[in-house]
Amino acid sequence: MTELSKENKDANAAQKLPKHGELPVEKTWDLGLLYATEERWEQDYARIESTISTLAEYQGKLAQSEENILATLRARDEIMLVVLNLYLYASMNLDVDNTVTKYQEMRERATALWGKANSSTAFISPELAAIPEDVAANLFAETSALQKDYGFEIADVLRQSDHMLPAEQEALLLRAAAALAQTGHNVFQKWAFADHGVLGTIPDVNGGTIEVTHGNFSQLAMSQDRNVRESAFKIMFGAFASGNHTLAEAYNGQVKSNVFYAHEHKYNTVFEQYMHQVNIPAGLPNGLVKTAEKNIDTLHRLLLVRKKELQVSDLHWYDLSVPLRNVDFSPSYAESEVTIRKAQAILGNGYLLDVDKAFTSRWIDGLPCQNKRSGGYTSGSYSSPPFMLMNYLPNVEGIYTKAHELGHMVNAMRSRAKQPYHYSGNPINVAEVASTLNEHILSEYLLANTDDPNMRFFILYRQAEGFKNTFFTQLMFHEFELQAHALVESGQAITAFALNGIYLGLLKKYFGAVVTIDDTLKVGWSRIPHFYNAFYVWNYASSWAVSTVLATMLKTEGQAAVDRILAMLEVGSSKYPMDILRDAGVNLSTTKPLQIALDRFAAIVSELERLQATK
């Protein structure tokens, strides 16, 4: 075990984490905005539990009248909104302390209720799709209230009708999904954050110890002391290696579940199902991978810049997070919000009003604490504010993560204000544009406000890291998902050995030309929670490319680009994602925007090489 050097003492002294109840209250979220008391939660639970059965009154009667369809859809929306509130209250309380069994029990009850609600509404889509064309022509007339309120949703139901099962079968599958579909993810969550909240310790210079946790691992990985980075890395990956077979079985169950539901709905693969449901051409992710492969040399040039900067003979994975150049950039929690607000001014005063509301209303649970979920996310419902969870640390990743999640918050605020409940959700490949665009805007602001070559190098490298982490790495993850699902879809077994082999091979493909791929890395797949939400990750890569293009448009087009971006934030799910992005100015029916984004990446790397050469 290495000791923490003096330079890391201050940075890591805070890592003996407080309990959530010991955090400053103004830096925690107020879930009373969802439910003021748990008694109110129980009242809503009881009310919805008894209301769900009333939907059966409309089953078999939708084709009789427009009024029946409207009443059914409106009742469904009211039920699902409250069910989501019930789930979020329990789940978000659990996320700030995974050891509180009360909230685990409440979440399980809410999940079961969600399953009942889904089962009770399962007849709606098959019954709408089965309405005879001559009857549908009258029910769905352009002048009808039904068409006005639910026209896009109904058209989407009809588009997917070939993959729908009879109502009774859909209800059965939904009940099974509610009971089983989250089991793999829940095993992962409990194993990682409850059973292994503290992964190990590193001695500090005073003879004490620093705990290595999911919450502070990223800080330790950024230490300037290579011994500290390596020690934290070995502890983290060693912990996941100890659970390799358990987590492989958890993921195996998830993949088998995914394949079962896809096949039952007459899809050949889970990937085919996902792409058809979101109405995005299946060739888009493949185009992303091909673009990544075409530009892989730029990624390798970036890694060589890092290797030269660190002056190491071999670049290891634990060398990939440490900030380059010794710059004074450690914004406090409050300072990060001031800087982000100044950067976002480019989007106008209305956007800034939303930013101010998000920062001052106790919608953010911002600091690391014991047993808290790692990373960050934005959540909330139609009847609540958007909530942000993060584990803020005073470093470059801390401020960028906050800017990213703020993009989600403002997107949610605006779509909920503009759209009815059933269209208020934001498709991931639009939501991630809103969030990553904030990262680009922050980078441009920081670059515009420094004359220091070291600071410029520092920010440019962070911008380039966005391409490494959000474009190339997410596409590597996508390839992992494709290969893992292909095992089950072809009748082969998913084992820890198989998953480790796939992951190690992909690491070598993307990074092996420059980075030493230690065998320990083979378990890295088991640290990725997004794998429990199949084929989610490629959207990060496409969104990063789109936001790169939009950030360029902000500089070249000014207000016209601002207007299109703000309009994009209000659309919700009232259009298909490809159409929303096309309206915002980026047409993904070709790979041209992808290459424009990668050309920007190459320009950043070229500037980094120039700055390094003149150091």
mmCIF file of all heavy atoms in Angstrom, residues 197-237:
data_model
loop_
_atom_site.group_PDB
_atom_site.id
_atom_site.type_symbol
_atom_site.label_atom_id
_atom_site.label_comp_id
_atom_site.label_asym_id
_atom_site.label_seq_id
_atom_site.Cartn_x
_atom_site.Cartn_y
_atom_site.Cartn_z
ATOM 1 N N GLY A 197 -19.928 -0.607 -0.184
ATOM 2 C CA GLY A 197 -19.879 0.850 -0.134
ATOM 3 C C GLY A 197 -18.472 1.372 0.075
ATOM 4 O O GLY A 197 -18.056 2.359 -0.529
ATOM 5 N N VAL A 198 -17.723 0.712 0.956
ATOM 6 C CA VAL A 198 -16.307 1.012 1.158
ATOM 7 C C VAL A 198 -15.519 -0.153 0.579
ATOM 8 O O VAL A 198 -15.672 -1.296 0.995
ATOM 9 C CB VAL A 198 -15.966 1.208 2.642
ATOM 10 C CG1 VAL A 198 -14.472 1.434 2.823
ATOM 11 C CG2 VAL A 198 -16.756 2.379 3.217
ATOM 12 N N LEU A 199 -14.655 0.152 -0.398
ATOM 13 C CA LEU A 199 -13.970 -0.894 -1.152
ATOM 14 C C LEU A 199 -12.613 -1.262 -0.561
ATOM 15 O O LEU A 199 -12.086 -2.346 -0.821
ATOM 16 C CB LEU A 199 -13.791 -0.448 -2.598
ATOM 17 C CG LEU A 199 -15.090 -0.073 -3.318
ATOM 18 C CD1 LEU A 199 -14.795 0.615 -4.636
ATOM 19 C CD2 LEU A 199 -15.943 -1.299 -3.553
ATOM 20 N N GLY A 200 -12.037 -0.356 0.192
ATOM 21 C CA GLY A 200 -10.718 -0.563 0.772
ATOM 22 C C GLY A 200 -10.184 0.760 1.288
ATOM 23 O O GLY A 200 -10.900 1.767 1.300
ATOM 24 N N THR A 201 -8.941 0.772 1.728
ATOM 25 C CA THR A 201 -8.344 1.986 2.277
ATOM 26 C C THR A 201 -6.935 2.182 1.746
ATOM 27 O O THR A 201 -6.259 1.234 1.352
ATOM 28 C CB THR A 201 -8.293 1.943 3.819
ATOM 29 O OG1 THR A 201 -7.504 0.821 4.226
ATOM 30 C CG2 THR A 201 -9.692 1.852 4.412
ATOM 31 N N ILE A 202 -6.528 3.449 1.744
ATOM 32 C CA ILE A 202 -5.163 3.828 1.397
ATOM 33 C C ILE A 202 -4.609 4.623 2.569
ATOM 34 O O ILE A 202 -5.275 5.545 3.053
ATOM 35 C CB ILE A 202 -5.136 4.702 0.121
ATOM 36 C CG1 ILE A 202 -5.695 3.935 -1.076
ATOM 37 C CG2 ILE A 202 -3.729 5.165 -0.187
ATOM 38 C CD1 ILE A 202 -5.804 4.778 -2.331
ATOM 39 N N PRO A 203 -3.407 4.310 3.048
ATOM 40 C CA PRO A 203 -2.840 5.091 4.160
ATOM 41 C C PRO A 203 -2.590 6.538 3.755
ATOM 42 O O PRO A 203 -2.211 6.826 2.612
ATOM 43 C CB PRO A 203 -1.514 4.365 4.445
ATOM 44 C CG PRO A 203 -1.657 3.012 3.822
ATOM 45 C CD PRO A 203 -2.541 3.201 2.647
ATOM 46 N N ASP A 204 -2.813 7.458 4.686
ATOM 47 C CA ASP A 204 -2.456 8.854 4.420
ATOM 48 C C ASP A 204 -1.142 9.189 5.132
ATOM 49 O O ASP A 204 -0.555 8.362 5.829
ATOM 50 C CB ASP A 204 -3.587 9.815 4.806
ATOM 51 C CG ASP A 204 -3.848 9.875 6.308
ATOM 52 O OD1 ASP A 204 -2.963 9.484 7.089
ATOM 53 O OD2 ASP A 204 -4.934 10.344 6.694
ATOM 54 N N VAL A 205 -0.688 10.416 4.949
ATOM 55 C CA VAL A 205 0.632 10.794 5.467
ATOM 56 C C VAL A 205 0.650 10.941 6.978
ATOM 57 O O VAL A 205 1.718 11.025 7.588
ATOM 58 C CB VAL A 205 1.104 12.113 4.814
ATOM 59 C CG1 VAL A 205 1.355 11.906 3.340
ATOM 60 C CG2 VAL A 205 0.105 13.234 5.059
ATOM 61 N N ASN A 206 -0.525 11.000 7.608
ATOM 62 C CA ASN A 206 -0.587 11.174 9.057
ATOM 63 C C ASN A 206 -0.776 9.861 9.805
ATOM 64 O O ASN A 206 -1.027 9.861 11.006
ATOM 65 C CB ASN A 206 -1.735 12.127 9.407
ATOM 66 C CG ASN A 206 -1.505 13.516 8.872
ATOM 67 O OD1 ASN A 206 -0.378 14.013 8.902
ATOM 68 N ND2 ASN A 206 -2.555 14.151 8.368
ATOM 69 N N GLY A 207 -0.656 8.764 9.104
ATOM 70 C CA GLY A 207 -0.815 7.475 9.758
ATOM 71 C C GLY A 207 -2.235 6.979 9.786
ATOM 72 O O GLY A 207 -2.504 5.887 10.279
ATOM 73 N N GLY A 208 -3.156 7.782 9.267
ATOM 74 C CA GLY A 208 -4.542 7.345 9.180
ATOM 75 C C GLY A 208 -4.808 6.662 7.851
ATOM 76 O O GLY A 208 -3.879 6.231 7.158
ATOM 77 N N THR A 209 -6.062 6.558 7.503
ATOM 78 C CA THR A 209 -6.420 5.918 6.233
ATOM 79 C C THR A 209 -7.461 6.743 5.497
ATOM 80 O O THR A 209 -8.231 7.499 6.110
ATOM 81 C CB THR A 209 -6.985 4.505 6.457
ATOM 82 O OG1 THR A 209 -8.131 4.589 7.317
ATOM 83 C CG2 THR A 209 -5.944 3.585 7.056
ATOM 84 N N ILE A 210 -7.450 6.587 4.201
ATOM 85 C CA ILE A 210 -8.461 7.189 3.341
ATOM 86 C C ILE A 210 -9.292 6.058 2.752
ATOM 87 O O ILE A 210 -8.755 5.114 2.158
ATOM 88 C CB ILE A 210 -7.818 7.998 2.196
ATOM 89 C CG1 ILE A 210 -6.971 9.141 2.763
ATOM 90 C CG2 ILE A 210 -8.880 8.535 1.245
ATOM 91 C CD1 ILE A 210 -7.767 10.184 3.519
ATOM 92 N N GLU A 211 -10.596 6.104 2.931
ATOM 93 C CA GLU A 211 -11.463 5.083 2.368
ATOM 94 C C GLU A 211 -11.568 5.261 0.852
ATOM 95 O O GLU A 211 -11.644 6.388 0.357
ATOM 96 C CB GLU A 211 -12.863 5.173 2.986
ATOM 97 C CG GLU A 211 -12.898 4.833 4.467
ATOM 98 C CD GLU A 211 -14.291 4.992 5.057
ATOM 99 O OE1 GLU A 211 -15.137 5.656 4.396
ATOM 100 O OE2 GLU A 211 -14.533 4.472 6.153
ATOM 101 N N VAL A 212 -11.564 4.166 0.142
ATOM 102 C CA VAL A 212 -11.832 4.180 -1.296
ATOM 103 C C VAL A 212 -13.282 3.739 -1.479
ATOM 104 O O VAL A 212 -13.656 2.626 -1.110
ATOM 105 C CB VAL A 212 -10.890 3.228 -2.063
ATOM 106 C CG1 VAL A 212 -11.223 3.242 -3.556
ATOM 107 C CG2 VAL A 212 -9.440 3.618 -1.838
ATOM 108 N N THR A 213 -14.102 4.644 -2.018
ATOM 109 C CA THR A 213 -15.522 4.374 -2.221
ATOM 110 C C THR A 213 -15.889 4.678 -3.670
ATOM 111 O O THR A 213 -15.109 5.272 -4.414
ATOM 112 C CB THR A 213 -16.396 5.244 -1.298
ATOM 113 O OG1 THR A 213 -16.300 6.610 -1.728
ATOM 114 C CG2 THR A 213 -15.949 5.139 0.158
ATOM 115 N N HIS A 214 -17.083 4.289 -4.045
ATOM 116 C CA HIS A 214 -17.556 4.639 -5.381
ATOM 117 C C HIS A 214 -17.645 6.158 -5.525
ATOM 118 O O HIS A 214 -17.422 6.693 -6.614
ATOM 119 C CB HIS A 214 -18.926 4.011 -5.644
ATOM 120 C CG HIS A 214 -18.915 2.518 -5.596
ATOM 121 N ND1 HIS A 214 -18.489 1.745 -6.644
ATOM 122 C CD2 HIS A 214 -19.264 1.654 -4.600
ATOM 123 C CE1 HIS A 214 -18.592 0.465 -6.317
ATOM 124 N NE2 HIS A 214 -19.055 0.380 -5.083
ATOM 125 N N GLY A 215 -17.972 6.835 -4.436
ATOM 126 C CA GLY A 215 -18.130 8.285 -4.493
ATOM 127 C C GLY A 215 -16.833 9.047 -4.662
ATOM 128 O O GLY A 215 -16.817 10.104 -5.303
ATOM 129 N N ASN A 216 -15.730 8.547 -4.090
ATOM 130 C CA ASN A 216 -14.480 9.324 -4.161
ATOM 131 C C ASN A 216 -13.434 8.703 -5.076
ATOM 132 O O ASN A 216 -12.323 9.213 -5.199
ATOM 133 C CB ASN A 216 -13.896 9.547 -2.761
ATOM 134 C CG ASN A 216 -13.322 8.276 -2.131
ATOM 135 O OD1 ASN A 216 -13.292 7.216 -2.744
ATOM 136 N ND2 ASN A 216 -12.872 8.392 -0.895
ATOM 137 N N PHE A 217 -13.777 7.588 -5.736
ATOM 138 C CA PHE A 217 -12.795 6.939 -6.609
ATOM 139 C C PHE A 217 -12.324 7.877 -7.717
ATOM 140 O O PHE A 217 -11.137 7.915 -8.054
ATOM 141 C CB PHE A 217 -13.383 5.666 -7.217
ATOM 142 C CG PHE A 217 -12.475 5.019 -8.223
ATOM 143 C CD1 PHE A 217 -11.321 4.371 -7.827
ATOM 144 C CD2 PHE A 217 -12.776 5.064 -9.584
ATOM 145 C CE1 PHE A 217 -10.471 3.777 -8.755
ATOM 146 C CE2 PHE A 217 -11.945 4.487 -10.515
ATOM 147 C CZ PHE A 217 -10.788 3.834 -10.110
ATOM 148 N N SER A 218 -13.251 8.658 -8.276
ATOM 149 C CA SER A 218 -12.857 9.545 -9.373
ATOM 150 C C SER A 218 -11.854 10.589 -8.897
ATOM 151 O O SER A 218 -10.940 10.966 -9.635
ATOM 152 C CB SER A 218 -14.085 10.233 -9.979
ATOM 153 O OG SER A 218 -14.728 11.052 -9.029
ATOM 154 N N GLN A 219 -11.995 11.058 -7.655
ATOM 155 C CA GLN A 219 -11.038 12.020 -7.101
ATOM 156 C C GLN A 219 -9.663 11.375 -6.925
ATOM 157 O O GLN A 219 -8.636 11.969 -7.256
ATOM 158 C CB GLN A 219 -11.550 12.555 -5.757
ATOM 159 C CG GLN A 219 -10.626 13.546 -5.068
ATOM 160 C CD GLN A 219 -10.710 14.952 -5.655
ATOM 161 O OE1 GLN A 219 -11.205 15.130 -6.758
ATOM 162 N NE2 GLN A 219 -10.224 15.931 -4.925
ATOM 163 N N LEU A 220 -9.654 10.161 -6.420
ATOM 164 C CA LEU A 220 -8.383 9.464 -6.241
ATOM 165 C C LEU A 220 -7.737 9.147 -7.589
ATOM 166 O O LEU A 220 -6.515 9.206 -7.733
ATOM 167 C CB LEU A 220 -8.600 8.180 -5.447
ATOM 168 C CG LEU A 220 -9.064 8.374 -3.995
ATOM 169 C CD1 LEU A 220 -9.491 7.039 -3.386
ATOM 170 C CD2 LEU A 220 -7.984 9.029 -3.154
ATOM 171 N N ALA A 221 -8.561 8.841 -8.577
ATOM 172 C CA ALA A 221 -8.034 8.548 -9.912
ATOM 173 C C ALA A 221 -7.434 9.785 -10.569
ATOM 174 O O ALA A 221 -6.665 9.669 -11.525
ATOM 175 C CB ALA A 221 -9.146 7.986 -10.795
ATOM 176 N N MET A 222 -7.748 10.962 -10.038
ATOM 177 C CA MET A 222 -7.223 12.213 -10.585
ATOM 178 C C MET A 222 -6.000 12.701 -9.804
ATOM 179 O O MET A 222 -5.454 13.767 -10.100
ATOM 180 C CB MET A 222 -8.311 13.284 -10.565
ATOM 181 C CG MET A 222 -9.471 12.979 -11.498
ATOM 182 S SD MET A 222 -10.868 14.105 -11.270
ATOM 183 C CE MET A 222 -10.174 15.620 -11.935
ATOM 184 N N SER A 223 -5.555 11.930 -8.826
ATOM 185 C CA SER A 223 -4.409 12.337 -8.015
ATOM 186 C C SER A 223 -3.155 12.481 -8.874
ATOM 187 O O SER A 223 -2.901 11.697 -9.793
ATOM 188 C CB SER A 223 -4.161 11.284 -6.927
ATOM 189 O OG SER A 223 -2.933 11.534 -6.273
ATOM 190 N N GLN A 224 -2.349 13.482 -8.553
ATOM 191 C CA GLN A 224 -1.082 13.667 -9.251
ATOM 192 C C GLN A 224 -0.049 12.608 -8.848
ATOM 193 O O GLN A 224 0.962 12.429 -9.525
ATOM 194 C CB GLN A 224 -0.520 15.067 -8.958
ATOM 195 C CG GLN A 224 -1.350 16.199 -9.557
ATOM 196 C CD GLN A 224 -1.356 16.201 -11.070
ATOM 197 O OE1 GLN A 224 -0.385 15.821 -11.705
ATOM 198 N NE2 GLN A 224 -2.461 16.632 -11.665
ATOM 199 N N ASP A 225 -0.306 11.923 -7.756
ATOM 200 C CA ASP A 225 0.580 10.855 -7.282
ATOM 201 C C ASP A 225 0.193 9.552 -7.975
ATOM 202 O O ASP A 225 -0.879 8.996 -7.739
ATOM 203 C CB ASP A 225 0.449 10.722 -5.761
ATOM 204 C CG ASP A 225 1.472 9.763 -5.167
ATOM 205 O OD1 ASP A 225 1.849 8.789 -5.845
ATOM 206 O OD2 ASP A 225 1.888 9.997 -4.014
ATOM 207 N N ARG A 226 1.074 9.062 -8.829
ATOM 208 C CA ARG A 226 0.744 7.867 -9.609
ATOM 209 C C ARG A 226 0.524 6.657 -8.720
ATOM 210 O O ARG A 226 -0.299 5.774 -9.026
ATOM 211 C CB ARG A 226 1.857 7.583 -10.624
ATOM 212 C CG ARG A 226 1.420 6.653 -11.753
ATOM 213 C CD ARG A 226 2.537 6.358 -12.727
ATOM 214 N NE ARG A 226 2.038 5.774 -13.962
ATOM 215 C CZ ARG A 226 2.753 5.049 -14.797
ATOM 216 N NH1 ARG A 226 4.041 4.813 -14.534
ATOM 217 N NH2 ARG A 226 2.225 4.555 -15.893
ATOM 218 N N ASN A 227 1.228 6.564 -7.612
ATOM 219 C CA ASN A 227 1.040 5.448 -6.692
ATOM 220 C C ASN A 227 -0.365 5.437 -6.109
ATOM 221 O O ASN A 227 -0.962 4.374 -5.900
ATOM 222 C CB ASN A 227 2.075 5.502 -5.574
ATOM 223 C CG ASN A 227 3.474 5.185 -6.070
ATOM 224 O OD1 ASN A 227 3.650 4.411 -6.994
ATOM 225 N ND2 ASN A 227 4.479 5.822 -5.469
ATOM 226 N N VAL A 228 -0.880 6.628 -5.822
ATOM 227 C CA VAL A 228 -2.242 6.727 -5.293
ATOM 228 C C VAL A 228 -3.240 6.247 -6.343
ATOM 229 O O VAL A 228 -4.147 5.457 -6.057
ATOM 230 C CB VAL A 228 -2.547 8.182 -4.874
ATOM 231 C CG1 VAL A 228 -4.035 8.351 -4.574
ATOM 232 C CG2 VAL A 228 -1.717 8.563 -3.662
ATOM 233 N N ARG A 229 -3.056 6.724 -7.575
ATOM 234 C CA ARG A 229 -3.962 6.320 -8.652
ATOM 235 C C ARG A 229 -3.952 4.802 -8.831
ATOM 236 O O ARG A 229 -4.998 4.162 -8.934
ATOM 237 C CB ARG A 229 -3.566 6.986 -9.974
ATOM 238 C CG ARG A 229 -3.555 8.498 -9.944
ATOM 239 C CD ARG A 229 -3.562 9.070 -11.351
ATOM 240 N NE ARG A 229 -2.454 8.652 -12.202
ATOM 241 C CZ ARG A 229 -1.299 9.288 -12.329
ATOM 242 N NH1 ARG A 229 -1.077 10.387 -11.594
ATOM 243 N NH2 ARG A 229 -0.359 8.857 -13.159
ATOM 244 N N GLU A 230 -2.770 4.238 -8.872
ATOM 245 C CA GLU A 230 -2.648 2.803 -9.092
ATOM 246 C C GLU A 230 -3.259 2.022 -7.941
ATOM 247 O O GLU A 230 -3.950 1.008 -8.149
ATOM 248 C CB GLU A 230 -1.182 2.416 -9.280
ATOM 249 C CG GLU A 230 -0.991 0.943 -9.597
ATOM 250 C CD GLU A 230 0.473 0.583 -9.841
ATOM 251 O OE1 GLU A 230 1.350 1.466 -9.707
ATOM 252 O OE2 GLU A 230 0.737 -0.597 -10.160
ATOM 253 N N SER A 231 -3.031 2.489 -6.713
ATOM 254 C CA SER A 231 -3.585 1.779 -5.547
ATOM 255 C C SER A 231 -5.107 1.822 -5.555
ATOM 256 O O SER A 231 -5.769 0.798 -5.303
ATOM 257 C CB SER A 231 -3.048 2.408 -4.260
ATOM 258 O OG SER A 231 -1.654 2.230 -4.152
ATOM 259 N N ALA A 232 -5.668 3.000 -5.833
ATOM 260 C CA ALA A 232 -7.130 3.114 -5.884
ATOM 261 C C ALA A 232 -7.699 2.245 -7.000
ATOM 262 O O ALA A 232 -8.737 1.588 -6.842
ATOM 263 C CB ALA A 232 -7.531 4.577 -6.085
ATOM 264 N N PHE A 233 -7.016 2.243 -8.137
ATOM 265 C CA PHE A 233 -7.422 1.426 -9.275
ATOM 266 C C PHE A 233 -7.443 -0.055 -8.894
ATOM 267 O O PHE A 233 -8.405 -0.780 -9.179
ATOM 268 C CB PHE A 233 -6.453 1.685 -10.431
ATOM 269 C CG PHE A 233 -6.549 0.725 -11.582
ATOM 270 C CD1 PHE A 233 -7.418 0.968 -12.638
ATOM 271 C CD2 PHE A 233 -5.762 -0.418 -11.626
ATOM 272 C CE1 PHE A 233 -7.500 0.087 -13.706
ATOM 273 C CE2 PHE A 233 -5.840 -1.302 -12.681
ATOM 274 C CZ PHE A 233 -6.714 -1.048 -13.731
ATOM 275 N N LYS A 234 -6.395 -0.527 -8.237
ATOM 276 C CA LYS A 234 -6.320 -1.941 -7.870
ATOM 277 C C LYS A 234 -7.416 -2.312 -6.874
ATOM 278 O O LYS A 234 -7.988 -3.415 -6.937
ATOM 279 C CB LYS A 234 -4.944 -2.263 -7.307
ATOM 280 C CG LYS A 234 -3.844 -2.281 -8.368
ATOM 281 C CD LYS A 234 -2.476 -2.600 -7.761
ATOM 282 C CE LYS A 234 -1.407 -2.695 -8.849
ATOM 283 N NZ LYS A 234 -0.063 -2.947 -8.296
ATOM 284 N N ILE A 235 -7.710 -1.387 -5.954
ATOM 285 C CA ILE A 235 -8.773 -1.665 -4.982
ATOM 286 C C ILE A 235 -10.130 -1.734 -5.682
ATOM 287 O O ILE A 235 -10.914 -2.666 -5.452
ATOM 288 C CB ILE A 235 -8.774 -0.590 -3.876
ATOM 289 C CG1 ILE A 235 -7.563 -0.787 -2.957
ATOM 290 C CG2 ILE A 235 -10.072 -0.638 -3.078
ATOM 291 C CD1 ILE A 235 -7.372 0.327 -1.949
ATOM 292 N N MET A 236 -10.418 -0.763 -6.545
ATOM 293 C CA MET A 236 -11.706 -0.727 -7.230
ATOM 294 C C MET A 236 -11.887 -1.952 -8.127
ATOM 295 O O MET A 236 -12.883 -2.681 -8.027
ATOM 296 C CB MET A 236 -11.822 0.553 -8.063
ATOM 297 C CG MET A 236 -13.067 0.630 -8.949
ATOM 298 S SD MET A 236 -14.624 0.661 -8.030
ATOM 299 C CE MET A 236 -14.646 2.377 -7.493
ATOM 300 N N PHE A 237 -10.930 -2.194 -9.004
ATOM 301 C CA PHE A 237 -11.079 -3.304 -9.934
ATOM 302 C C PHE A 237 -10.924 -4.652 -9.228
ATOM 303 O O PHE A 237 -11.519 -5.648 -9.659
ATOM 304 C CB PHE A 237 -10.093 -3.159 -11.096
ATOM 305 C CG PHE A 237 -10.568 -2.195 -12.144
ATOM 306 C CD1 PHE A 237 -10.458 -0.821 -11.949
ATOM 307 C CD2 PHE A 237 -11.151 -2.647 -13.311
ATOM 308 C CE1 PHE A 237 -10.903 0.076 -12.910
ATOM 309 C CE2 PHE A 237 -11.610 -1.759 -14.277
ATOM 310 C CZ PHE A 237 -11.486 -0.390 -14.076
#
